[in-house]
Amino acid sequence: MDIEQVRAFLAVADELHFGRAAARLHVAQPPLSRTIKQLEKHLSATLFDRNTRSVKLTAAGEALVQPARAVLDAMRRAENAVVSAEGGETGLVRLAFAGVSTHQMVARLARVVRSQHPGISLELSSQNFAQPAMKKLLTGDTDLALGRWDVVPPSVESEIVMADHLVVAVADTHPLADLRGVRIERLAGEHFVSLPLHDGSVLPDRLRRLADAHGFVAEVVQIAPDTQTALAVVAAEVGCHLTLASVANNVTDPHVVFVPLDDTSTDVDMRAAWRRDNTNPALRVVLRQVVGLGEQP
């Protein structure tokens, strides 16, 4: 039994008239009659009692009506699913995001996708730093990464989704805590809490470059494994920490104050990154939402 036979059967069952059913299907009546006879032969059952005056469903025909409608409904759902997937309205997008500074945007993105594109599932993967997120992207273990990279590989495209700038996190008891801004040279002689220095680590690199450019060496007294730990150490008055303004928006600690750095020449913007060869249509939908969120105040 093929789908055209199902359509033909339902048209005749609804109209109980071969002429009207043929007109509804935009076919001639003789081919429609042949289709019904072929279906009856295939099922070894008479579906219609027909004569020159009337057409009526047999018991076998009555039994076929609901299953036939279910077949057509399933076919329509299958067609709609393909159209939705091709348009990016259904599917899975794996998102790797790096650091505390991305948390607020990821939360907003998840809410928007869930409300505006319910057919898309977001699989979230939190990374301590941006380089692991980039590695997941390069190995194909994620579709989209949010983080900060000074350089992205040739196989990766990226777009700035949120401008950001550097701030200095200090304990609320620190002499700098009351300032509205601080120049980098003012930090000479301060003790620093730093994130681990590894290939692609943006903030430790910024600290070193800024100190070098202003004639001093940043004295790092403790390495913290992640930003949350670094801020806890700052609150304990161990030292100050170079971080991002977006971190301040994602962290509430009454014992930590974020003082803007006046030197904006080495600001670090958040980027969305994805592989050039990724053909997942749902990725494009999510990417548009990420960029749109970044443009909002």
Side-chain angles (χ1 to χ4, degrees):
M1 186 168 61
D2 63 39
I3 195 67
E4 293 307 319
Q5 289 175 331
V6 173
R7 288 195 177 101
F9 166 74
L10 286 175
V12 177
D14 288 343
E15 301 292 343
L16 293 178
H17 190 283
F18 275 80
R20 289 196 298 269
R24 172 172 153 181
L25 295 172
H26 305 290
V27 298
Q29 185 172 332
L32 174 61
S33 297
R34 287 195 298 270
T35 297
I36 296 298
K37 288 179 181 178
Q38 290 169 355
L39 178 58
E40 290 176 322
K41 182 178 179 180
H42 173 74
L43 295 174
S44 300
T46 300
L47 301 175
F48 298 98
D49 283 330
R50 57 260 205 197
N51 55 45
T52 56
R53 294 184 178 180
S54 66
V55 176
K56 295 181 180 179
L57 282 163
T58 65
E62 291 278 6
L64 182 58
V65 170
Q66 290 306 317
R69 294 197 195 284
V71 168
L72 278 190
D73 288 344
M75 178 65 71
R76 292 190 191 100
R77 287 195 299 270
E79 291 170 348
N80 290 338
V82 171
V83 171
S84 294
E86 188 67 18
E89 288 303 322
T90 61
L92 170 68
V93 175
R94 300 162 299 167
L95 171 63
F97 55 99
V100 174
S101 62
T102 62
H103 289 182
Q104 196 172 89
M105 174 167 282
V106 170
R108 291 165 61 199
L109 174 65
R111 288 194 295 268
V112 169
V113 170
R114 187 164 53 249
S115 64
Q116 297 185 17
H117 307 281
I120 297 178
S121 297
L122 274 183
E123 183 180 285
L124 305 178
S125 173
S126 177
Q127 311 293 308
N128 282 343
F129 303 107
Q131 282 307 111
M134 179 59 70
K135 287 179 181 178
K136 286 176 72 72
L137 195 64
L138 292 174
T139 57
D141 293 324
T142 195
D143 299 294
L144 182 64
L146 286 179
R148 292 166 173 80
W149 306 274
D150 287 330
V151 178
V152 297
S155 60
V156 171
E157 289 189 51
S158 71
E159 185 168 346
I160 294 175
V161 294
M162 188 177 72
D164 213 341
H165 59 273
L166 297 170
V167 297
V168 180
V170 298
D172 58 345
T173 55
H174 195 283
L176 299 178
D178 294 329
L179 298 182
R180 299 182 65 179
V182 61
R183 297 184 63 81
I184 186 64
E185 57 265 28
R186 181 85 177 268
L187 301 177
E190 292 287 344
H191 291 169
F192 283 91
V193 179
S194 176
L195 297 176
L197 181 61
H198 55 75
D199 183 33
S201 54
V202 174
L203 289 174
D205 177 71
R206 288 294 187 276
L207 177 59
R208 178 188 58 79
R209 285 164 52 185
L210 284 168
D212 286 348
H214 291 83
F216 69 95
V217 175
E219 183 179 353
V220 176
V221 295
Q222 187 161 337
I223 301 293
D226 52 53
T227 298
Q228 291 280 22
T229 305
L231 295 177
V233 175
V234 168
E237 303 180 345
V238 172
C240 55
H241 175 60
L242 186 68
T243 188
L244 300 156
S246 54
V247 168
N249 297 332
N250 286 273
V251 172
T252 54
D253 186 332
H255 301 298
V256 176
V257 175
F258 297 90
V259 183
L261 193 66
D262 288 345
D263 189 331
T264 60
S265 62
T266 52
D267 282 349
V268 183
D269 298 322
M270 185 192 299
R271 289 181 172 272
W274 64 98
R275 288 175 60 105
R276 294 180 186 275
D277 59 0
N278 191 320
T279 58
N280 180 0
L283 169 63
R284 307 298 161 177
V285 174
V286 173
L287 186 58
R288 286 197 298 271
Q289 292 295 346
V290 172
V291 172
L293 288 174
E295 292 172 348
Q296 294 177 12

